[in-house]
Amino acid sequence: MAAERSFVAGGPPLNYRLDELSVRFLRQPGHGLPGWRVSLAGSGAALLERDRQKRHFVYPVKDLLALVNELYRIRFFELPTNYTTKYSVFIKDDGLLGTQGLRMSDASNTRVCFTVAAYEKCVSYGADGPRELEALVQHVAADVERLVSPGLSEP
């Protein structure tokens, strides 16, 4: 029996070095909401980009480990890569069912990426995206706000 390389088909490796890990969050602006970007590295180095400003700060390794554990708990690595298109089915005049996809290009959306070594998993979502992932993003945003120096508005 071959050794498993990941818990999930196409998922991250079972073993990797902390310093190879990074988690990134990108909130695209839309409908008047501001955008921001957060990059967290396994080394503890972190970067917040917002309002054309960059703030470097330290993100505690214990918090990063808790974040990664939460990604596993919510089954992030099994999620589809894109939740930004809304699909619907309708009946045509000839009685056939048609399917359409709608994507609002001006709507705010969020992208979360987990990278380790050569592996990367990203999930993009809008207002109707996975609630557990959005809760995690909000938690990280609150942590970042607590850690960066005062003077910036909330992400």
Side-chain angles (χ1 to χ4, degrees):
M1 177 192 271
E4 288 185 46
R5 294 183 180 199
S6 176
F7 286 117
V8 178
L14 289 175
N15 298 294
Y16 47 88
R17 297 184 49 79
L18 182 61
D19 60 1
E20 296 176 317
L21 171 68
S22 73
V23 183
R24 297 182 320 277
F25 303 86
L26 172 64
R27 178 88 72 180
Q28 295 279 45
H31 292 299
L33 297 174
W36 52 268
R37 178 187 317 249
V38 171
S39 301
L40 307 174
S43 65
L47 174 65
L48 167 64
E49 298 175 72
R50 179 176 53 198
D51 299 330
R52 297 185 187 157
Q53 296 181 21
K54 294 183 179 183
R55 298 287 174 119
H56 294 272
F57 62 100
V58 174
Y59 195 81
V61 171
K62 69 175 181 57
D63 292 346
L64 184 60
L65 184 59
L67 167 62
V68 172
N69 272 310
E70 186 65 8
L71 288 172
Y72 279 98
R73 188 192 71 73
I74 67 171
R75 303 180 85 106
F76 173 80
F77 305 103
E78 298 173 40
L79 294 174
T81 59
N82 193 329
Y83 282 86
T84 59
T85 303
K86 292 182 181 183
Y87 296 97
S88 62
V89 178
F90 59 94
I91 297 177
K92 297 180 180 183
D93 291 339
D94 61 5
L96 291 175
L97 289 180
T99 306
Q100 65 184 10
L102 173 65
R103 183 169 190 274
M104 296 179 61
S105 59
D106 65 341
S108 176
N109 66 69
T110 302
R111 183 172 178 88
V112 177
C113 294
F114 172 98
T115 305
V116 62
Y119 172 82
E120 181 173 72
K121 168 71 176 197
C122 295
V123 174
S124 297
Y125 66 94
D128 295 333
R131 295 195 196 300
E132 287 183 309
L133 185 56
E134 175 58 17
L136 179 61
V137 168
Q138 289 180 10
H139 177 79
V140 169
D143 278 353
V144 168
E145 189 60 33
R146 179 179 52 82
L147 293 168
V148 296
S149 60
L152 289 176
S153 59
E154 286 191 29

